[in-house]
Amino acid sequence: MLQVHRAYRRPLVISRTCWTDSRAFLRFSAAHVVVLSVVVFALCCSTVSADVTPKTIVALENETVTLPCRTNRTSDLLTVEWSKAEMSPNITLLYRHGRETVEEKNSAFVNRTKLLLEEVKHGNISQVISKLRLSDGGRYLCRTMVGKQRQVEAALDLIVGAASEPKLTFVPSGANGGLTLECSAERWFPKPEITFHDENGKEIEAEDPRIDLDSAGCFNVKRRASLQIVTNGVTCRVHQPLLKRRHAHIYIPDDCMRSCTSSIVWSVMVTAAALGLCAVAYFLWKKYGRSCKLQAEIPSTNTGVQSQYAKCHQHSVTRTNQRTTK
């Protein structure tokens, strides 16, 4: 009986192994809670991308362009965000709670971007950019947000070009005469190509273009062509693959072409005649130049002989006179 009582009052001892397992279980449970929290937060705040394929939009400087974007989300809490890559801050338009928010907008786009507010309820959230600048070119993303979930609705590559009407004028010709035309294209971007064509559309051979780059990054291109054919009209074409082709046409009267052609013929004939005369003169000099030189030297030689003969004759006369005196 005594032994049973002592055994009953023996203190409870928890083994070290059991305590270690409990701590490990608590750490394992905490880790799972953290992981699950991160997963839930990521699911709530993730950006869901639709099947988006980037599209290319081409527009000209100072024009107004619309970047198209549509959504199927029609919540009253819809937020629309337009952003531009490689720019900080990158927000070009932010629409929230039924109005535009300008606090987070890049200052370069203030008063230049807008939504078509009457179209937003129909899912049209296209961005309109006015007074385009060359620096506006780049990749744009259209996103929508409901709660914490964002979705990319569209990706667009905007190319902003610059173009002007070409000028085709007559310029002074060189020494060979003829008719020379110059075509100039100012403030173009990207760099254009200039070609000349006659009235039948055949390309006319031209000089290499002269290209200058201005402070805004635009190209100024000039090119000249000398007409070697008879034509009543010449067209200057300024071509850039991304932009529309521009033309400049000039009419050449018949009498101008005849006079210009005559001047070319006369200049060629005069040049040929001058070269022929030079060749004949050189040939005559080679053949008769030495004989002429010898003939030129003969009179001087005869003069010397005559002088010597006169001296001898005078000497003989002097001796004769002396003898007579004696």
Side-chain angles (χ1 to χ4, degrees):
M1 189 70 181
L2 182 60
Q3 293 179 354
V4 174
H5 179 73
R6 289 179 178 176
Y8 177 77
R9 295 190 57 171
R10 183 178 298 173
L12 180 64
V13 177
I14 301 176
S15 67
R16 182 178 222 32
T17 302
C18 182
W19 175 251
T20 303
D21 292 342
S22 299
R23 293 177 59 187
F25 175 76
L26 291 175
R27 285 199 304 268
F28 178 77
S29 300
H32 272 70
V33 170
V34 172
V35 172
L36 290 174
S37 300
V38 172
V39 170
V40 171
F41 180 80
L43 290 175
C44 292
C45 302
S46 62
T47 300
V48 179
S49 298
D51 186 13
V52 175
T53 301
K55 298 180 181 179
T56 301
I57 305 294
V58 180
L60 292 178
E61 185 182 24
N62 295 322
E63 288 185 345
T64 297
V65 66
T66 299
L67 304 183
C69 183
R70 299 194 65 87
T71 182
N72 295 325
R73 311 172 81 175
T74 57
S75 173
D76 294 335
L77 301 177
L78 179 67
T79 297
V80 178
E81 176 189 288
W82 277 92
S83 62
K84 182 177 180 291
E86 299 180 359
M87 185 180 69
S88 180
N90 66 343
I91 302 299
T92 62
L93 188 148
L94 185 61
Y95 176 83
R96 181 187 296 155
H97 304 307
R99 62 183 183 87
E100 181 182 354
T101 302
V102 298
E103 287 78 7
E104 302 178 37
K105 189 175 187 177
N106 189 293
S107 59
F109 290 87
V110 173
N111 298 325
R112 294 202 302 125
T113 59
K114 66 178 182 178
L115 294 179
L116 302 175
L117 297 180
E118 64 277 6
E119 296 290 330
V120 173
K121 59 184 178 181
H122 301 298
N124 184 1
I125 52 175
S126 302
Q127 177 180 225
V128 179
I129 307 177
S130 59
K131 300 178 182 179
L132 277 175
R133 306 170 183 173
L134 293 179
S135 58
D136 292 341
R139 170 69 60 86
Y140 288 80
L141 292 179
C142 171
R143 294 187 180 95
T144 57
M145 182 185 301
V146 176
K148 296 293 186 178
Q149 189 174 13
R150 305 171 69 186
Q151 177 169 308
V152 177
E153 303 288 356
L156 300 109
D157 293 323
L158 176 62
I159 298 176
V160 181
S164 63
E165 294 299 327
K167 298 178 181 179
L168 183 59
T169 56
F170 295 100
V171 295
S173 302
N176 61 343
L179 187 63
T180 302
L181 300 175
E182 180 180 82
C183 184
S184 60
E186 298 181 353
R187 281 193 59 80
W188 274 73
F189 183 85
K191 183 177 66 176
E193 297 178 358
I194 295 179
T195 54
F196 295 88
H197 301 265
D198 63 13
E199 57 186 344
N200 297 320
K202 184 178 179 181
E203 185 172 348
I204 301 173
E205 186 176 354
E207 301 175 0
D208 292 335
R210 300 193 304 272
I211 302 173
D212 296 323
L213 193 66
D214 64 16
S215 58
C218 295
F219 293 91
N220 298 322
V221 185
K222 293 182 178 181
R223 197 176 189 188
R224 291 186 176 186
S226 297
L227 293 184
Q228 305 298 332
I229 60 173
V230 178
T231 180
N232 289 328
V234 174
T235 300
C236 164
R237 295 179 182 174
V238 183
H239 174 65
Q240 216 299 318
L242 296 176
L243 306 177
K244 293 182 179 179
R245 181 179 296 177
R246 305 293 178 94
H247 300 80
H249 183 79
I250 193 168
Y251 172 72
I252 304 174
D254 292 336
D255 54 351
C256 178
M257 284 304 304
R258 283 195 296 268
S259 62
C260 294
T261 304
S262 300
S263 64
I264 294 174
V265 173
W266 276 108
S267 63
V268 171
M269 292 178 63
V270 170
T271 303
L275 292 176
L277 289 175
C278 291
V280 171
Y282 179 76
F283 175 76
L284 292 175
W285 180 84
K286 292 289 289 184
K287 186 174 182 179
Y288 301 106
R290 187 170 298 176
S291 300
C292 294
K293 185 177 181 180
L294 291 175
Q295 291 178 2
E297 292 177 352
I298 289 176
S300 61
T301 304
N302 292 337
T303 302
V305 172
Q306 291 176 0
S307 177
Q308 186 67 22
Y309 175 76
K311 289 181 180 180
C312 293
H313 179 69
Q314 184 178 3
H315 181 67
S316 300
V317 172
T318 302
R319 291 183 63 184
T320 303
N321 293 336
Q322 290 177 354
R323 289 176 184 177
T324 304
T325 303
K326 287 180 182 182

